[in-house]
């Protein structure tokens, strides 16, 4: 199986309106509520695409029961409540997101319980994805600690986190990172406007032991940078829709390929990157996060273009 860890899950609430106008009452045409959080979305996409995945992390009992209706789960009951993420979806495809903060973990023992739970599942696990924000009371090093545990067990691992948690994850030799443009800038201190610039600024991360960086750039595609090479992939035309969960769909595609390759150093990165772009775009076209039209994904995969990117001189760059 593939295991995902979501420390700060959410009820994904989607309000559908004809057109949202600030300052006035809005008539909602439809309301959808689904179990969410980045790792839950990853697990849902994996199961839809035929790869068995279990969603773990912190939650409360009500959320764990609700999520179990959508994906296999193994949550640790450690949150006093689970937050909500609200998306207001307009008829023209415009989506506005409002993310609540997570509740504060009051019993530090639940973190140890989660660590123990993941450690016990690793022998059955072909890939691990740790993603999303952290609730209050959780140390920012937790994702890195889980990733280090997985690497030691020979399990491919993705850390799709941000802020201080991402800085800790950078120090884990063998980890795969999936920052978006804003997260990459915060991490490296440099803005990137092209695939070549992405390769340049992440080169020091690889030198420090990171296995690969897959930089997600929205409509501008994705860039994968490894010790064996770098590639840029995108669709000829971007897909419009709800971007919530697009990065999670990409993470699902990446971990699926890494799990098939096992602990091998070399992975089929061009094919992996093309699949990540197609899966992400198909998720954008879906009405809510975690859904996927498999026929659209297959259609888009034929359209994705992948280009090698030359590594420029990166000696003048270093991670702050």
């Amino acid at each position: 199986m593939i295991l995902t860890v979501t420390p700060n899950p959410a009820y994904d609430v989607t309000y559908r309106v004809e057109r949202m106008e600030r300052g006035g009452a809005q008539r909602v045409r439809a309301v959808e509520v689904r179990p969410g959080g980045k790792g839950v979305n990853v697990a849902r996409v994996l199961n839809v695409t035929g790869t068995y995945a279990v969603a773990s992390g912190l939650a409360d009992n009500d959320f764990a029961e609700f999520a179990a209706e959508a994906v296999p789960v193994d949550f640790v009951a450690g949150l006093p409540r689970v937050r909500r993420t609200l998306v207001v979806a307009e008829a023209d495809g415009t989506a506005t997101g409002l993310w609540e903060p997570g509740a504060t973990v009051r019993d530090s023992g639940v973190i140890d319980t989660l660590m123990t739970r993941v450690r016990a599942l690793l022998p059955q696990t072909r890939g691990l994805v740790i993603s999303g924000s952290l609730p209050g009371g959780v140390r920012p090093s937790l994702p890195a600690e889980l990733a280090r545990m997985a690497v030691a067990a020979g399990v491919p691992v993705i850390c799709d986190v941000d802020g201080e948690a991402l800085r800790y994850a950078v120090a884990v030799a063998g980890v795969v990172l999936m920052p978006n443009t804003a997260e990459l800038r915060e991490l490296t201190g440099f803005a990137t406007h092209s695939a070549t610039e992405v390769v340049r600024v992440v080169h020091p991360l690889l030198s420090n032991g990171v296995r690969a960086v897959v930089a997600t750039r929205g409509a501008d595609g994705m860039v994968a940078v490894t010790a064996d090479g770098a590639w840029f992939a995108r669709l000829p035309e971007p897909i419009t829709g709800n971007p919530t969960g697009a990065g999670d769909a990409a993470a699902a595609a990446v971990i699926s390929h890494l799990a098939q390759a096992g602990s091998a150093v070399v992975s089929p990165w061009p094919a992996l990157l093309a699949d990540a772009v197609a899966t992400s775009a198909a998720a954008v076209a879906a009405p809510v996060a975690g859904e996927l039209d498999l026929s659209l994904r297959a259609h888009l995969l034929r359209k994705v273009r992948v280009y090698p990117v030359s590594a420029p001189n990166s000696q003048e760059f270093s991670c702050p």
Side-chain angles (χ1 to χ4, degrees):
M1 70 176 182
I2 289 176
L3 181 66
T4 71
V5 177
T6 309
N8 197 19
Y11 291 97
D12 283 346
V13 182
T14 302
Y15 284 176
R16 300 200 175 278
V17 301
E18 185 63 30
R19 182 172 177 235
M20 187 173 72
E21 297 182 4
R22 294 183 60 189
Q26 313 291 308
R27 188 169 296 279
V28 179
R29 296 187 303 174
V31 180
E32 295 154 1
V33 183
R34 295 164 61 94
K38 292 179 69 63
V40 176
N41 293 337
V42 172
R44 186 186 288 116
V45 171
L46 284 166
N47 282 289
V48 167
T49 56
T51 299
Y52 180 66
V54 174
S56 183
L58 300 175
D60 59 16
N61 290 327
D62 289 341
F63 182 86
E65 292 179 8
F66 183 51
E69 299 175 5
V71 294
V73 302
D74 193 351
F75 280 101
V76 172
L79 294 177
R81 64 172 179 82
V82 172
R83 67 195 175 115
R84 293 167 297 178
T85 58
L86 173 64
V87 171
V88 181
E90 300 178 56
D92 65 358
T94 302
T96 303
L98 299 170
W99 296 169
E100 291 183 1
T104 297
V105 174
R106 296 187 174 89
D107 178 6
S108 60
V110 302
I111 307 302
D112 296 331
T113 301
L114 177 60
M115 295 279 291
T116 300
R117 185 78 55 86
V118 173
R119 184 180 292 108
L121 292 172
L122 282 178
Q124 313 163 44
T125 301
R126 295 187 296 120
L128 175 66
V129 179
I130 308 148
S131 56
S133 60
L134 301 177
V138 175
R139 57 185 180 268
S141 61
L142 176 64
E145 294 170 33
L146 293 170
R148 191 170 286 110
M149 189 191 314
V151 171
V155 176
V157 58
I158 292 173
C159 268
D160 184 8
V161 295
D162 61 6
E164 194 173 359
L166 180 56
R167 292 188 179 277
Y168 276 102
V170 165
V172 180
V175 72
V176 175
L177 305 176
M178 293 193 63
N180 60 30
T181 300
E183 292 162 351
L184 187 59
R185 178 171 186 170
E186 182 182 2
L187 176 65
T188 65
F190 297 102
T192 55
H193 305 287
S194 68
T196 300
E197 291 179 354
V198 170
V199 175
R200 181 181 296 156
V201 302
V202 305
H203 186 269
L205 306 180
L206 302 181
S207 300
N208 291 337
V210 170
R211 177 179 178 181
V213 175
V214 180
T216 58
R217 300 173 59 79
D220 292 328
M222 299 182 196
V223 181
V225 188
T226 77
D228 302 304
W231 300 268
F232 165 61
R234 67 174 299 172
L235 286 165
E237 296 181 359
I239 300 296
T240 59
N242 182 1
T244 305
D248 305 329
V254 172
I255 197 62
S256 179
H257 281 264
L258 294 179
Q260 292 175 31
S263 58
V265 174
V266 179
S267 301
W269 285 98
L272 178 157
L273 193 60
D275 191 8
V277 169
T279 305
S280 176
V284 170
V288 292
E291 289 190 353
L292 201 68
D293 184 328
L294 294 180
S295 61
L296 176 60
R297 176 195 182 210
H299 171 72
L300 294 173
L301 185 58
R302 294 191 293 269
K303 291 189 170 186
V304 176
R305 296 294 177 262
V306 182
Y307 308 93
V309 182
S310 299
N313 184 357
S314 58
Q315 292 181 351
E316 68 272 26
F317 287 86
S318 62
C319 255

